[in-house]
Amino acid sequence: AYLAPRAGDTGTIRINRRSFEDYFPTEMLRLRVLQPLELTQTIGMYDIMMNIRGGGISGQAGAARHAITKALLDIDVSYRPV
């Protein structure tokens, strides 16, 4: 996952060049992906771009959550306890 400071008013999430809402159609999958951003209170602070392959849609949501978590830790290690 690539995190960059947001370019507009709110951060955008693109997965495989598709919008976040288009790629993960259910609210439960979206909540799973956004969990690290909620816990660190960083929702809307970054534009996120990632490519995901293989597995089912649920596994891809877990992989996206893990990738966002790792990227947030690269930005600020103080998020680790959260």
Side-chain angles (χ1 to χ4, degrees), residues 12-54:
T12 60
I13 301 175
R14 305 285 295 170
I15 300 173
N16 295 348
R17 296 185 180 157
R18 291 169 48 190
S19 73
F20 176 66
E21 293 80 13
D22 183 42
Y23 198 84
F24 293 115
T26 66
E27 188 66 25
M28 185 161 175
L29 292 173
R30 290 183 206 147
L31 289 173
R32 185 180 304 167
V33 173
L34 294 176
Q35 187 179 24
L37 297 169
E38 287 179 13
L39 291 173
T40 57
Q41 299 175 355
T42 55
I43 287 185
M45 291 179 60
Y46 299 103
D47 288 335
I48 301 172
M49 295 143 290
M50 65 178 77
N51 292 313
I52 302 173
R53 293 185 302 170

